[in-house]
Amino acid sequence: MADSSMTRFYREHGYVLVKGLIGKDEARAYREECHALLSRLRPYDPTWGSARRLAGFATELRHCHDVQFHSAAFGRLMLDPRFTGVAAALIGSENLQLHHTKIFVKPAEKGSPFPLHQDAAHFPHTRHTVGAAIFHFDDAPEEKGCVRVVPGSHRHGPLPHVEEGGWHLPPERWPLEEAVPVEAEAGDVLFLSYLTVHGSGVNRSDEARTTLLIQFRDPQDRPADDVHPSRGQGMMLRGFDPLTGP
């Protein structure tokens, strides 16, 4: 469960890093599960064109959507009260609903960056309670392309994005290098509002960076547009859906 100082920090800055939400051994096991899952799938690189321009050389990214449909381990993690308790407290609701899940692996030495953006541009909602939890399954120092954030940017509300080469903020006005790096260790979880401007750098290290994204919301916060469907969207992670009815 999130304490009051954690909740205040999240609401003021738009993000909070929760240290050691899961144990090191658990993180290592999930890391192995991520890489085993990706090895079973057809390779697909979702790197944005704008990300390659940002890096200045050919980079790579591996990912998988809706991971709980591929491995039961991730289904258990989504329902873990250590996660759901914090997420619910941060958005101010006893009820927590899934939007989608995704694995991101940045390969060693050439892991793709992400230009600064808001997740809200990809799937806007009416009440803006949507948040993300980024589980770190190995250490993520700055050299591995850790997440970078613009503290307090969630207070600007939805911002206009550039569609070309991805769906990101204009890089000349929102340079990645000016965002604050949030270095993390295996077992740490970064929570951030979907309105918080964030991105990540190139993984230049000799080890892959492995993360799991769980995007969640208050079930009373409805999508503003019919975009970004996922197989698991609407699953209750905690509590119940007050909008369920005849």
Side-chain angles (χ1 to χ4, degrees):
M1 176 67 69
D3 59 30
S4 57
S5 61
M6 190 183 299
T7 302
R8 283 196 303 272
F9 189 95
Y10 179 84
R11 291 178 182 170
E12 179 180 355
H13 299 285
Y15 76 99
V16 66
L17 180 67
V18 179
K19 301 292 294 181
L21 186 70
I22 64 173
K24 300 287 188 186
D25 290 342
E26 290 177 279
R28 187 177 306 110
Y30 281 118
R31 184 185 195 279
E32 293 173 0
E33 192 72 27
C34 286
H35 288 264
L37 169 56
L38 290 173
S39 72
R40 297 192 295 268
L41 299 177
R42 180 180 301 172
Y44 167 67
D45 186 346
T47 299
W48 294 351
S50 56
R52 289 204 169 95
R53 291 195 294 273
L54 180 66
F57 62 95
T59 60
E60 295 179 6
L61 188 67
R62 298 204 67 197
H63 83 154
C64 172
H65 282 273
D66 306 325
V67 297
Q68 69 275 20
F69 290 95
H70 298 279
S71 170
F74 300 113
R76 291 191 293 271
L77 185 57
M78 288 163 44
L79 297 173
D80 191 311
R82 292 174 295 179
F83 155 62
T84 60
V86 171
L90 294 180
I91 66 171
S93 172
E94 287 298 316
N95 305 311
L96 193 70
Q97 190 176 59
L98 179 68
H99 188 269
H100 71 275
T101 63
K102 192 184 300 181
I103 289 171
F104 281 116
V105 172
K106 293 189 178 193
E109 300 179 347
K110 56 183 178 180
S112 297
F114 278 94
L116 292 180
H117 63 282
Q118 295 174 311
D119 291 340
H122 298 263
F123 36 89
H125 279 61
T126 56
R127 294 177 57 192
H128 303 312
T129 68
V130 182
I134 300 175
F135 286 77
H136 293 81
F137 296 145
D138 42 41
D139 293 346
E142 191 170 355
E143 68 170 340
K144 286 183 73 174
C146 68
V147 177
R148 304 177 77 98
V149 302
V150 179
S153 53
H154 63 303
R155 293 194 292 270
H156 298 312
L159 298 168
H161 281 55
V162 177
E163 185 172 1
E164 182 183 0
W167 197 243
H168 55 90
L169 292 164
E172 64 278 3
R173 289 167 52 193
W174 295 89
L176 179 63
E177 60 272 15
E178 291 187 9
V180 176
V182 184
E183 296 184 301
E185 299 177 293
D188 295 350
V189 180
L190 174 62
F191 291 84
L192 69 162
S193 165
Y194 90 147
L195 289 171
T196 300
V197 174
H198 65 287
S200 62
V202 177
N203 180 9
R204 302 179 186 275
S205 76
D206 59 2
E207 181 185 64
R209 195 206 75 171
T210 310
T211 57
L212 169 70
L213 171 75
I214 301 178
Q215 207 97 33
F216 53 87
R217 67 190 177 198
D218 183 324
Q220 297 189 82
D221 190 359
R222 307 313 302 160
D225 293 306
D226 185 18
V227 293
H228 206 291
S230 73
R231 290 172 66 193
Q233 192 169 135
M235 174 184 173
M236 293 306 301
L237 306 178
R238 174 186 165 114
F240 65 96
D241 184 356
L243 301 181
T244 298

